[in-house]
């Protein structure tokens, strides 16, 4: 009996990370194995981002432990196990692992990390999260936050709604950003439940997971602008845009993206394409160019040399002809050459020089 062909949805990942202005990278992220097609067929593809709590102990160790535990537990998902309960199981397993790590280091109850995770399977998005790291959905040029920020700001906002506090007091409260839910508590009692109905994705959607080092430092409009790119370039561009601001208190920034059924890159029009060059390696191009220049220079030199030789030869021939025939003033008739010279030669006498030209003190 033949096994049915595995159908795996098209999911494109991207990621980027930077330590920011901090002395240590306390963010962690991870992806499940995209190449295990049999596992992907029933479990989909998983992405996770965790942000270790810098105000507590072991931020780096806590986030790394949470991500590794979540990934390893999800990798053990059974074929017939539903995705939502599997995610719930993984979150609590990661929480226990963080507590165990802290207890071993003697800082039990003093370590913690946020965690957000998503799974894309058969066009559906499953999600879970605790803390204030976020999951966004990018669709058709707009951005939608899918997670809740579990911090004291939610408590303050409810107090404002009840008239117990002014909006200005709530927004300026020093504990507004303090987390009320995170991994590292005895029990994670407040978090985004994976039992919520999964979200149906559309072709071209991108799912963004990010630590607060991103959305806490750049505007959503800039995030939207970069998400128009392919996932890897989008992730790198967002992190670069954040770091390029050079803010003195820049937090660790981590971005993970899953793109769903993205359109292939648009091919260039014929007018934009370069003419196809003859096949050659990059290393061969410079050598051939140099050889062509040498041949051209050598040919030009030979041509110039031939021209000079031609005109030089003609000039030499003219001079030889004049030497053989004599100039008009030097010509002697054949009769004069044959006739003996009978005229006695006159004795030459030196004439005295003019006194005007004689040097002084010398007489002629």
């Amino acid at each position: 009996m033949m096994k049915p062909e595995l159908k795996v949805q098209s999911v494109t990942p991207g990621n980027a990370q930077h330590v920011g202005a901090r002395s240590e990278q306390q963010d962690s992220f991870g992806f499940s194995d995209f190449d295990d097609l049999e596992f992907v067929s029933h479990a989909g593809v998983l992405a996770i981002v965790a942000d270790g709590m810098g105000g507590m102990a072991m931020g780096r160790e806590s986030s790394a432990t949470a991500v590794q535990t979540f990934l390893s537990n999800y990798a053990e998902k059974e074929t017939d196990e539903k995705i939502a309960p599997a995610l719930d199981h993984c979150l609590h397993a990661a929480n226990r692992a963080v507590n165990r790590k802290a207890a071993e280091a003697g800082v039990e109850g003093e370590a913690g990390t946020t965690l957000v995770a998503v799974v894309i399977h058969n066009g559906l998005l499953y999600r879970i999260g605790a803390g204030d790291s976020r999951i966004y959905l990018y669709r058709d040029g707009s951005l939608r936050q899918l997670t809740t920020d579990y911090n004291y700001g939610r408590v303050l906002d409810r107090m404002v709604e009840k008239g117990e506090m002014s909006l200005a007091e709530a927004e300026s409260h020093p504990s507004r950003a303090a987390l009320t839910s995170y991994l590292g508590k005895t029990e994670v009692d407040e978090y985004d439940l994976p039992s919520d109905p999964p979200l149906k994705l559309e072709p071209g959607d991108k799912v963004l997971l990010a630590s607060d080092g991103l959305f806490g430092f750049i505007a959503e409009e800039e995030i939207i602008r970069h998400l128009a790119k392919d996932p890897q370039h989008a992730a790198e561009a967002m992190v670069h845009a954040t770091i390029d601001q050079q803010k003195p208190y820049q937090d660790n920034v981590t971005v993970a993206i899953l793109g769903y059924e993205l359109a292939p890159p648009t091919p260039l029009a014929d007018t934009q394409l370069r003419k196809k060059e003859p096949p050659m390696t990059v290393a061969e191009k410079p050598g051939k160019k140099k050889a062509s220049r040498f041949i051209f220079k050598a040919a030009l030199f030979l041509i110039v040399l031939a021209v000079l030789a031609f005109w030089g030869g003609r000039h030499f021939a003219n001079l030889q002809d004049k030497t053989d025939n004599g100039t008009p003033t030097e010509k002697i008739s054949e009769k004069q050459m044959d006739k003996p010279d009978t005229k006695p030669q006159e004795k030459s006498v030196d004439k005295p020089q003019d006194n005007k030209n004689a040097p002084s003190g010398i007489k002629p």
Side-chain angles (χ1 to χ4, degrees):
M1 181 176 170
M2 293 181 62
K3 292 180 66 176
E5 183 181 355
L6 297 176
K7 293 183 179 179
V8 180
Q9 65 275 10
S10 174
V11 178
T12 307
N15 67 85
Q17 186 179 61
H18 197 281
V19 70
R22 303 298 173 88
S23 59
E24 183 181 52
Q25 177 59 266
Q26 297 184 336
D27 289 356
S28 299
F29 69 96
F31 296 91
S32 61
D33 187 356
F34 281 50
D35 296 327
D36 187 346
L37 300 186
E38 186 173 354
F39 179 78
V40 171
S41 67
H42 70 83
V45 293
L46 167 71
I48 313 172
V49 166
D51 179 0
M53 296 165 66
M56 301 179 73
M58 300 177 63
R60 178 176 61 83
E61 293 85 355
S62 297
S63 67
T65 298
V67 169
Q68 291 165 6
T69 303
F70 202 107
L71 283 171
S72 61
N73 274 264
Y74 194 74
E76 296 174 358
K77 175 186 172 299
E78 299 293 339
T79 304
D80 56 351
E81 185 180 7
K82 301 295 184 182
I83 291 176
L87 290 175
D88 195 71
H89 163 75
C90 291
L91 180 78
H92 291 287
N95 184 57
R96 290 191 296 271
V98 170
N99 284 324
R100 188 164 52 251
K101 191 83 172 178
E104 291 171 356
V107 291
E108 187 174 5
E110 300 177 23
T113 180
T114 70
L115 185 142
V116 287
V118 298
V119 168
I120 295 179
H121 179 253
N122 289 340
L124 296 176
L125 175 69
Y126 299 83
R127 61 195 183 278
I128 192 169
D132 63 353
S133 293
R134 291 180 181 177
I135 301 171
Y136 290 95
L137 174 67
Y138 171 84
R139 176 180 291 171
D140 297 330
S142 63
L143 198 64
R144 172 186 164 195
Q145 182 178 341
L146 301 180
T147 48
T148 303
D149 293 337
Y150 290 99
N151 54 34
Y152 192 60
R154 296 175 66 240
V155 178
L156 296 172
D157 291 343
R158 284 196 292 265
M159 293 174 67
V160 171
E161 291 174 2
K162 296 176 181 178
E164 299 174 357
M165 178 181 288
S166 70
L167 179 61
E169 289 175 324
E171 290 181 343
S172 61
H173 198 285
S175 299
R176 183 174 182 84
L179 297 180
T180 57
S181 176
Y182 55 88
L183 274 61
K185 297 179 69 176
T186 304
E187 288 294 335
V188 185
D189 52 0
E190 191 179 29
Y191 59 98
D192 284 345
L193 298 172
S195 57
D196 293 341
L199 178 68
K200 184 172 177 56
L201 295 176
E202 297 179 1
D205 285 350
K206 296 186 182 80
V207 182
L208 166 66
L209 296 81
S211 63
D212 62 351
L214 176 77
F215 55 81
F217 289 82
I218 63 174
E220 283 193 359
E221 291 76 14
E222 189 162 9
I223 294 175
I224 291 171
R225 181 167 59 85
H226 292 305
L227 277 171
K229 304 168 185 172
D230 70 86
Q232 186 57 40
H233 285 98
E236 293 173 359
M238 281 187 281
V239 170
H240 283 311
T242 305
I243 299 304
D244 286 347
Q245 296 182 89
Q246 298 184 344
K247 292 187 177 180
Y249 303 106
Q250 174 64 55
D251 198 359
N252 303 149
V253 53
T254 299
V255 170
I257 300 173
L258 294 179
Y260 178 69
E261 291 192 355
L262 302 181
T266 305
L268 294 173
D270 291 342
T271 55
Q272 294 175 284
L273 294 174
R274 292 179 59 191
K275 290 183 178 179
K276 187 177 180 181
E277 297 181 0
M280 60 179 65
T281 64
V282 176
E284 289 174 334
K285 288 185 178 181
K288 289 194 174 184
K289 286 183 178 179
K290 289 182 179 179
S292 299
R293 289 177 188 153
F294 174 78
I295 293 171
F296 173 78
K297 289 180 179 180
L300 184 62
F301 174 77
L302 291 175
I303 292 171
V304 172
L305 189 63
V307 171
L308 291 175
F310 174 76
W311 288 108
R314 290 195 62 179
H315 181 66
F316 179 80
N318 289 339
L319 289 177
Q320 187 66 33
D321 183 64
K322 288 180 180 180
T323 303
D324 293 340
N325 297 331
T327 60
T329 55
E330 295 174 340
K331 235 179 179 181
I332 302 174
S333 64
E334 293 178 359
K335 291 182 178 180
Q336 288 177 321
M337 292 178 65
D338 296 335
K339 186 177 179 181
D341 187 6
T342 55
K343 187 176 179 180
Q345 295 182 356
E346 294 181 357
K347 187 177 181 181
S348 63
V349 179
D350 291 337
K351 293 183 180 179
Q353 294 182 348
D354 193 342
N355 288 340
K356 293 180 183 179
N357 298 327
S360 57
I362 300 177
K363 292 182 180 180

